[in-house]
């Protein structure tokens, strides 16, 4: 069963800057995306509008995913899981940003299917119960970091 979480946030950050940050896999990534640990960040392939990257969390048990990123569609960066210790291949994360008079309107959407192992099942339960609140908080943290110049 897929769990889908959508978050929409307004920010003073221009849309192009938000989108650029979503496909910036340099050391800056951990400053913008607090859930990403540089220790678990590995770029396998980087092209003009796509990449394959492994990212992992830094807190508690390491949750990692190897994703195929695509930012060829204007206004969007999408990551599709190709391998993970908790998510099934095909799970996605997408960030869209469109300009507004005061900055941009940003939407993030996570569609997650979980592997049939105990840790993934536990994480799936957490996503369904506290995920929406947690991801709203994380999205605001990402945009605050960009607003502060990260």
């Amino acid at each position: 069963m897929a769990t889908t979480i959508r978050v929409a946030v307004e920010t003073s950050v221009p849309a192009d800057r938000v989108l650029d940050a979503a496909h910036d896999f340099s050391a800056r990534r951990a400053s913008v995306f607090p859930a990403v640990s540089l220790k678990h960040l590995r770029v396998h392939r980087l092209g003009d509008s796509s990449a394959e990257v492994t990212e992992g969390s830094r807190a508690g048990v390491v949750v990692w995913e190897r994703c195929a990123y695509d930012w060829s569609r204007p206004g969007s960066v999408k990551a599709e899981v190709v391998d993970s210790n908790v998510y099934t291949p095909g799970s996605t994360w997408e960030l869209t940003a469109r300009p507004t008079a005061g900055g941009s309107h940003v939407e993030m959407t996570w569609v997650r299917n979980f592997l049939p192992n105990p840790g993934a099942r536990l994480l799936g339960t957490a996503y369904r119960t506290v995920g929406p609140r947690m991801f709203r908080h994380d999205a605001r943290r990402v945009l605050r970091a960009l607003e502060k110049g990260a």
Side-chain angles (χ1 to χ4, degrees):
M1 173 172 84
T3 299
T4 301
I5 297 173
R6 287 185 183 87
V7 174
V9 184
E10 302 295 320
T11 181
S12 61
V13 179
D16 60 339
R17 204 162 139 243
V18 173
L19 294 163
D20 287 346
H23 62 81
D24 179 348
F25 302 105
S26 70
R28 171 181 178 239
R29 191 158 188 84
S31 299
V32 176
F33 294 92
V36 174
S37 168
L38 290 180
K39 179 179 176 183
H40 302 291
L41 177 66
R42 193 163 116 203
V43 178
H44 304 282
R45 181 185 50 78
L46 181 60
D48 292 336
S49 61
S50 65
E52 190 160 316
V53 179
T54 297
E55 297 173 279
S57 65
R58 65 175 117 187
V61 175
V62 174
V63 173
W64 63 268
E65 59 187 349
R66 183 171 177 159
C67 291
Y69 278 83
D70 177 8
W71 56 93
S72 61
R73 199 177 95 216
S76 170
V77 176
K78 187 171 186 175
E80 183 173 333
V81 173
V82 295
D83 193 17
S84 174
N85 65 336
V86 293
Y87 310 119
T88 62
S91 294
T92 61
W93 170 76
E94 184 172 15
L95 181 146
T96 60
R98 62 177 168 75
T100 62
S104 60
H105 174 82
V106 177
E107 292 186 19
M108 295 183 201
T109 305
W110 294 262
V111 179
R112 300 297 195 193
N113 285 298
F114 296 87
L115 293 170
N117 64 51
R121 285 189 186 122
L122 182 61
L123 189 59
T125 299
Y127 266 56
R128 287 185 289 282
T129 56
V130 298
R133 183 179 42 189
M134 180 179 68
F135 282 106
R136 270 192 303 279
H137 174 74
D138 284 353
R140 288 187 182 108
R141 284 176 56 194
V142 166
L143 295 172
R144 271 196 308 273
L146 289 172
E147 288 166 355
K148 291 179 180 178

